[in-house]
Amino acid sequence: EVQLQASGGGLVQAGGSLRLSCAASGFTFDDYAIAWFRQAPGKEREGVSSHIRRRILNERDTFYADSVKGRFTISIDSAKNTVYLQMNDLKPEDSAVYYCAADLRSAAYSSNWPYVFAYDYWGQGTLVTVSS
């Protein structure tokens, strides 16, 4: 059974940092897409970052939303089956519930990585609040 467990959210002042973790189980980091999404109250869920590995194509890519480029970094620890999102220089507009998601159907690619439909497994979310 595939499970994703997100953690690491909290309250931080603007300009501060947080590191989110997503512990994955039920699959190995072989051919996959792992992403972080966020959803603020009253807004749609949006893609923040995704790391995609397509073994058969020998491709490995990382993508970021324009709003977080240069501030957020996604990383994978395959030995621990854990995905991280390092968030620096946080802004009040980064406040949201953050979700990790996985695509094991080879559905996510460079053209659709930020869209919810590209992922088939979701974690429960962790709340990030950035105060001004």
Side-chain angles (χ1 to χ4, degrees):
E1 179 186 6
V2 175
Q3 290 187 335
L4 301 169
Q5 183 77 29
S7 61
L11 174 64
V12 64
Q13 288 188 333
S17 299
L18 280 176
R19 189 177 79 158
L20 305 183
S21 300
C22 177
S25 61
F27 69 98
T28 57
F29 287 87
D30 183 24
D31 191 289
Y32 62 89
I34 293 286
W36 286 97
F37 282 73
R38 66 186 181 187
Q39 188 167 19
K43 294 188 176 181
E44 293 189 354
R45 193 169 297 189
E46 63 173 355
V48 174
S49 179
S50 183
H51 181 80
I52 300 176
R53 183 188 179 197
R54 296 295 174 225
R55 180 169 50 85
I56 195 169
L57 299 174
N58 195 28
E59 290 183 350
R60 193 191 300 259
D61 290 302
T62 300
F63 304 93
Y64 296 95
D66 288 343
S67 59
V68 306
K69 279 182 182 176
R71 300 188 299 121
F72 290 12
T73 303
I74 189 171
S75 62
I76 310 288
D77 186 334
S78 55
K80 295 182 178 181
N81 263 32
T82 300
V83 184
Y84 301 99
L85 184 69
Q86 178 66 44
M87 306 186 295
N88 298 328
D89 190 23
L90 283 160
K91 304 176 181 181
E93 53 264 41
D94 294 319
S95 297
V97 176
Y98 283 71
Y99 300 88
C100 56
D103 159 45
L104 303 180
R105 304 165 297 167
S106 300
Y109 285 92
S110 59
S111 60
N112 66 5
W113 75 265
Y115 297 106
V116 169
F117 68 77
Y119 302 86
D120 46 352
Y121 295 98
W122 292 83
Q124 85 290 2
T126 184
L127 177 64
V128 172
T129 304
V130 184
S131 63
S132 57

